[in-house]
Amino acid sequence: MPPAPGEEQYAALAFANSVIASPGGRFTDFLGTPEQANQWLADHGLAPADAGLREMCTAQLRSLREQIRSLLASRVEALPALPAALSAVNDAMTKVPTASLLQWDEKNGPYRAPPHPTTEIVDHALAALAADAADLLTGPDAERLTACGSPPCGRYLLRHGRRHWCSTRCGDRARAARAYARRTRTEGGSGVETGASALGTHPEGG
């Protein structure tokens, strides 16, 4: 599926949408395996393609994703945030240093760069995604945050105008569902009227 509106601007939104529900109870999870998770992080500039993620790190990513989705849902539905979700995001942001540290190269001298050892790749990715989610939830774009209005999709997006769908496909499905519901109500109403007419003309009905 194409990115939902807002995903290009907020990696956390793409992260929250990295699991997609489809009709018929099917799910597509881009963090389903370590290889898929590694590819997702690489595609979003959060890890090298050869990082070699293991299942434990992948499980951490999936766990943070669910907590971020919980916070997005709370914001969209104007409900209090779950304390566990807040703690997960704050813990991820504070687990690693975010400042560019002073480094020293023997040939070129001092410079500043963020620490990024291989063993901390996932921690840095989690911190970046958590901070991005916090920026989204506290910034002006939070007013545009909404959930796709075409069940069972479940993706989040930044609304443009009155659009509440994450993609053309979901929009088509929602319109088809509404048309079907209207047709069903019309046919049901006609059925009731026909039944009443039949009773009115029945000899015993007088």
Side-chain angles (χ1 to χ4, degrees):
M1 291 182 66
E7 285 189 17
E8 299 91 342
Q9 186 177 353
Y10 293 97
L13 196 58
F15 184 57
N17 291 339
S18 60
V19 60
I20 302 172
S22 301
R26 300 188 303 275
F27 288 88
T28 301
D29 190 348
F30 293 104
L31 307 180
T33 67
E35 293 77 18
Q36 289 174 308
N38 200 150
Q39 186 63 55
W40 190 93
L41 291 178
D43 289 345
H44 291 81
L46 294 168
D50 59 352
L53 263 65
R54 302 294 181 89
E55 176 55 34
M56 182 179 71
C57 294
T58 305
Q60 287 180 293
L61 287 165
R62 288 194 296 261
S63 177
L64 181 64
R65 178 181 63 190
E66 293 312 304
Q67 301 294 4
I68 288 176
R69 285 184 60 84
S70 171
L71 293 177
L72 296 181
S74 295
R75 181 63 176 81
V76 169
E77 298 167 14
L79 295 173
L82 294 177
L86 287 173
S87 295
V89 168
N90 287 328
D91 288 348
M93 283 194 288
T94 57
K95 191 173 183 179
V96 297
T98 56
S100 295
L101 304 184
L102 180 64
Q103 310 285 348
W104 206 285
D105 182 77
E106 292 183 3
K107 181 180 294 186
N108 300 314
Y111 66 98
R112 292 187 67 181
H116 203 80
T118 303
T119 55
E120 295 181 4
I121 285 175
V122 173
D123 286 342
H124 278 268
L126 291 170
L129 291 164
D132 195 59
D135 287 341
L136 170 58
L137 289 166
T138 59
D141 286 327
E143 296 296 327
R144 298 164 52 209
L145 183 66
T146 189
C148 182
S150 179
C153 176
R155 291 208 298 176
Y156 291 95
L157 64 140
L158 295 183
R159 183 175 58 250
H160 291 280
R162 299 178 62 185
R163 175 178 171 177
H164 281 248
W165 304 306
C166 70
S167 66
T168 301
R169 186 171 74 177
C170 279
D172 290 343
R173 188 166 65 228
R175 283 188 287 268
R178 286 202 300 267
Y180 176 77
R182 285 195 299 268
R183 188 168 64 250
T184 301
R185 286 196 299 269
T186 301
E187 292 173 354
S190 298
V192 170
E193 292 172 5
T194 301
S197 298
L199 285 172
T201 56
H202 195 281
E204 296 179 0

